[in-house]
Amino acid sequence: PLRRLPWAQLNFLHTTDVHGWWGGHLQEPSYSADWGDYISLAKHLHDKADNDGSDLLLVDTGDRIEGNAIYDASEPKGKFTYDIAREQHIDLICSGNHELYKKNSSDGEFYHTVPNFEGNYLATNLDIYNPETGKLQPLAPRFKKFKTKNQGIRILAFGFIFDFTGNAKNTVIHTVEDTVKEDWFQEAIRDKSLDLIIVFGHVDIRSHEYGTVYSTIRRAQQDIPIQFFGGHTHIRDYKIYDDKSVALE
């Protein structure tokens, strides 16, 4: 053991930019845990939460594909990875830019990841042309309101992607600045019955996009805690927005 594991009223496990490394990094011992180890860890921590009445949420902020042969070498690409990923219960999950570079990978999200994590996959500013009908629709629900298992903490969650422009033509990304002006977003953030707002996404936590989301929420509710989770930059990072709002990658 390196140190004691901090444990609180509400706890999170956050993954991002897995890029197909479900088998761990075998040549780097400190990074050698595989996805099965992570599933086991989550199981033990869920048991701990259930025993002491606390809560645990798992968050993944995208770029699960491309970068390792478990994804890249199969035909079609990703043939095996969807079933590996779904073995973990993830409470909040979204797309990264790598899921959107090619039509077949975003269709893979539509056909596999979204239904595998139905109700937990969010696409606050991401649309897809339905491969069955050709009609443009949200890839997944724009936001989610839910209560935690043990304490009934009332949460509103959004799942963003940064203002990415390199996506294939079968998807549409709405800028964060435009999204936060939408009536449905403005109405959602003004709900006075909430205990916490979670903003997660494939977004640099020091970006103008998250700065825009933060200031928009704060104009609507000055005191509600806001927990941000980011991705994309491939670093561990932490940012304090104010005394009730922090961000983690």
Side-chain angles (χ1 to χ4, degrees), residues 143 145 154-156 185-197 220-221 224:
F143 62 93
K145 292 182 180 181
R154 299 165 297 183
I155 295 175
L156 167 64
F185 187 89
Q186 290 289 329
E187 180 181 354
I189 62 175
R190 282 170 167 76
D191 186 343
K192 298 300 183 182
S193 68
L194 302 170
D195 299 310
L196 171 69
I197 295 177
Q221 297 213 50
I224 192 166

Side-chain angles (χ1 to χ4, degrees), residues 69-88:
I70 295 177
Y71 176 86
D72 296 338
S74 66
E75 190 59 48
K77 292 186 185 301
K79 180 178 179 180
F80 308 110
T81 61
Y82 297 114
D83 287 337
I84 293 173
R86 71 186 295 186
E87 291 296 317
Q88 178 69 289

Side-chain angles (χ1 to χ4, degrees), residues 93-94 121-127 138-143 159-160 184:
I93 184 171
C94 67
Y121 198 118
L122 298 182
T124 298
N125 62 328
L126 172 60
D127 292 343
L139 177 61
R142 298 295 196 203
F143 62 93
F160 281 94
W184 59 264

Side-chain angles (χ1 to χ4, degrees), residues 203-211 235 237-241:
V203 184
D204 180 351
I205 64 174
R206 302 178 185 275
S207 64
H208 72 275
E209 290 99 331
Y210 267 2
I235 60 172
D237 204 0
Y238 182 77
K239 177 177 172 62
I240 299 172
Y241 290 95

Side-chain angles (χ1 to χ4, degrees), residues 96-103 105 161-173:
N97 54 297
H98 275 260
E99 280 83 9
L100 306 178
Y101 279 115
K102 299 177 181 178
K103 181 180 184 299
S105 55
I161 183 170
F162 70 99
D163 295 344
F164 177 55
T165 58
N167 51 306
K169 293 182 179 179
N170 68 317
T171 55
V172 174
I173 296 169

